[in-house]
Amino acid sequence: AHVLYGKFLRRIGQPDRAYETFKRADELRPNVPVVLQQLSALEAESGEAAKAFGHVRTALEAEPDNAVFLLQCAYIMVLGKNEIVGKGESLSPAEFDALLTACYRKIAEQNPDDRAAKVRYAQSFYDLFAPDWQKALSIWRELEESASLNLERQTARANIARVLVELGRDPEAEQILQTVDAPSLARAKTLLLREIERAADSRKNRKTSKNNL
């Protein structure tokens, strides 16, 4: 009864009363996953990322394949990254990377025909502390190959170029960017080309300094 009433209060725009209702439900019967998930959602909405993460993480431990919990956990982790990592009961950078990757990977695996889910998985590497850029590259290449629309294909290529820059493979990145001409990707393309130019200048300066020693 508390869960249904709490959800009703959320729907009619009374988050404070809803939160108290879910808190009462948790006191009466602790650690029910759906109650924890609702508490987490309300805490995230009020900017309490660390507390929100704690609740949704516990819910996810009880139901590790729950798609709602997986997506909510990933969203809160990205939103509250600076609050979750390195404080109290929170995560180390390596633990953060492992959990966030697992969330998005599972969502993509559960929805093999959902391109958006795979795109979110590929994008998640940009939020990691120590990304596996080779893995990210392989996912973006799969997305390029499976694209049915030109914009999808060009978006994948722009991301392939970005990952190649991270890998220090600037000439390949620049070559791929020559095939990206969609107006909606113009800014991203310009920024990447500038990054490639800066990287080239940096390498040139390091080489010049070394030769002068």
Side-chain angles (χ1 to χ4, degrees):
H2 284 88
V3 174
L4 291 175
Y5 186 52
K7 288 182 176 181
F8 168 74
L9 290 171
R10 283 194 70 190
R11 282 197 300 272
I12 64 173
Q14 296 189 32
D16 292 340
R17 289 183 62 194
Y19 188 76
E20 291 305 316
T21 300
F22 288 119
K23 284 287 287 183
R24 179 58 178 159
D26 190 48
E27 291 168 1
L28 292 171
R29 189 180 171 193
N31 295 329
V32 174
V34 67
V35 173
L36 296 175
Q37 180 263 330
Q38 290 290 324
L39 286 169
S40 172
L42 288 161
E43 288 157 353
E45 289 171 5
S46 63
E48 299 178 280
K51 190 182 289 187
F53 171 69
H55 279 133
V56 76
R57 186 186 188 187
T58 303
L60 192 58
E61 287 171 352
E63 298 183 18
D65 295 320
N66 186 300
V68 173
F69 298 174
L70 286 165
L71 188 58
Q72 184 169 316
C73 185
Y75 171 78
I76 290 170
M77 289 178 71
V78 173
L79 182 70
K81 184 176 183 179
N82 294 332
E83 295 179 45
I84 292 167
V85 176
K87 292 185 179 181
E89 296 295 324
S90 53
L91 304 173
S92 69
E95 290 170 334
F96 178 95
D97 286 0
L99 181 56
L100 186 66
T101 298
C103 286
Y104 280 116
R105 185 184 64 247
K106 279 190 175 183
I107 294 168
E109 289 172 351
Q110 290 173 354
N111 303 275
D113 297 325
D114 185 349
R115 182 179 178 84
K118 192 164 186 176
V119 168
R120 285 196 299 267
Y121 177 31
Q123 291 171 333
S124 72
F125 288 82
Y126 300 134
D127 293 307
L128 304 181
F129 286 94
D132 180 347
W133 291 121
Q134 289 290 353
K135 179 64 176 177
L137 182 62
S138 69
I139 298 170
W140 282 116
R141 281 182 166 156
E142 288 172 6
L143 284 162
E144 179 193 16
E145 291 174 5
S146 64
S148 57
L149 301 175
N150 186 45
L151 182 58
E152 292 176 344
R153 189 174 300 106
Q154 291 201 32
T155 299
R157 287 176 182 169
N159 280 279
I160 288 170
R162 178 176 174 181
V163 173
L164 287 170
V165 170
E166 295 288 351
L167 289 167
R169 294 160 60 177
D170 298 348
E172 292 175 69
E174 191 167 10
Q175 186 176 13
I176 288 174
L177 285 172
Q178 292 175 2
T179 69
V180 176
D181 57 11
S184 60
L185 298 173
R187 184 173 181 275
K189 178 179 179 178
T190 299
L191 291 173
L192 281 167
L193 288 171
R194 287 176 183 170
E195 181 61 30
I196 291 170
E197 186 177 351
R198 280 195 296 269
D201 289 342
S202 178
R203 284 194 294 271
K204 183 178 179 180
N205 291 336
R206 286 198 301 270
K207 184 176 180 180
T208 300
S209 298
K210 185 177 180 180
N211 291 337
N212 290 335
L213 291 177

